[in-house]
Amino acid sequence: MADWRSRRSMSCFPDDNLLTAQYRARLFLLMKISYDPSASRYEHAGKGLRRSDLNPDPIKQFGNWFTAAIEAGIRDVNAMSLATAGPDARPSVRIVLLKSFDQDGFVFFTNYESEKGKQLEANPYAALAFYWIELDRQIRISGKVEKTSRKESLTYFRSRPTGSQLSAWASRQSEVLDGRRVLDARMAEMTERFGDQPIPLPPHWGGYRLKPDRVEFWQGRANRLHDRFRYTRQTDGGWLIERLAP
């Protein structure tokens, strides 16, 4: 199994209500930052993607692109968007880290009692997306999700730094907190509780494996005429490859 281990926000205005539209426009102009998203003029310079470039197996094709992204020195190359939805059908998306992939699927780890964990319990289907702007490449993956075995979860858990193991016990992910002090207190409690002993795998923490039934490879091209190829799993286990309009 291949194992690949390895977010930022900016608010120019802490209290936007204090700034008039005219003042904001002038400030952006001074900062030389466009406040109109439609003003983006990024030009795609990809060399293109042909059917003959593709491996018949989408997992192997993913491996080829993933390796190229590593060789290109892309930071957080295993960061991916994970989209889930609960019984209310409202989608939710966040960034998680891919920890391994093989013919069985794509693996990530989290708190089973988190928002995404509850959504996956109610609706075990999800989608992943990778975007590497340096290579002008995007990969979309969707399929059914299942929990990894406890043995697999334990193996990865033990590979994490001690602080990360303790935080899996201390943080009740997605729970509302009165303040940071609550989280810090829980961390201190867990540190004292386990001391120098091996930290056990929390019952509420482990991995998920997304087993793909659709995988799309997107290569940026000039004039927004991008190359897109979609793999769709067939009933016999094979894959149908189709070119999609950009």
Side-chain angles (χ1 to χ4, degrees), residues 60-200:
K60 292 181 180 179
Q61 180 62 34
F62 177 88
N64 292 340
W65 275 24
F66 195 80
T67 299
I70 292 174
E71 294 175 346
I74 295 175
R75 181 180 176 182
D76 294 330
V77 65
N78 60 331
M80 59 185 183
S81 298
L82 166 67
T84 57
D88 59 3
R90 295 187 60 163
S92 179
V93 66
R94 77 289 287 165
I95 303 296
V96 298
L97 298 178
L98 175 70
K99 290 303 179 179
S100 67
F101 68 92
D102 58 16
Q103 289 297 327
D104 290 330
F106 298 80
V107 176
F108 60 94
F109 294 85
T110 190
N111 186 314
Y112 290 144
E113 297 176 356
S114 64
E115 179 186 54
K116 57 183 169 293
K118 293 176 180 177
Q119 289 180 334
L120 287 171
E121 182 68 25
N123 175 24
Y125 290 88
L128 309 173
F130 294 83
Y131 180 49
W132 301 313
I133 192 172
E134 296 88 343
L135 297 176
D136 242 355
R137 288 176 173 176
Q138 178 180 184
I139 305 175
R140 300 169 62 200
I141 306 167
S142 60
K144 191 169 185 178
V145 178
E146 61 185 30
K147 290 180 179 179
T148 61
S149 68
R150 293 305 284 170
K151 180 180 179 180
E152 188 173 350
S153 294
L154 178 60
T155 297
Y156 172 67
F157 184 77
R158 286 177 173 168
S159 74
R160 305 180 89 204
T162 299
S164 295
Q165 293 184 36
L166 289 169
S167 70
W169 280 95
S171 176
R172 299 168 186 171
Q173 196 174 103
S174 301
E175 177 188 72
V176 175
L177 292 173
D178 290 335
R180 175 77 193 191
R181 64 185 183 282
V182 177
L183 193 59
D184 291 339
R186 289 177 183 169
M187 188 67 168
E189 178 187 349
M190 293 303 135
T191 301
E192 181 179 358
R193 173 180 174 182
F194 294 112
D196 296 328
Q197 303 174 12
I199 303 169

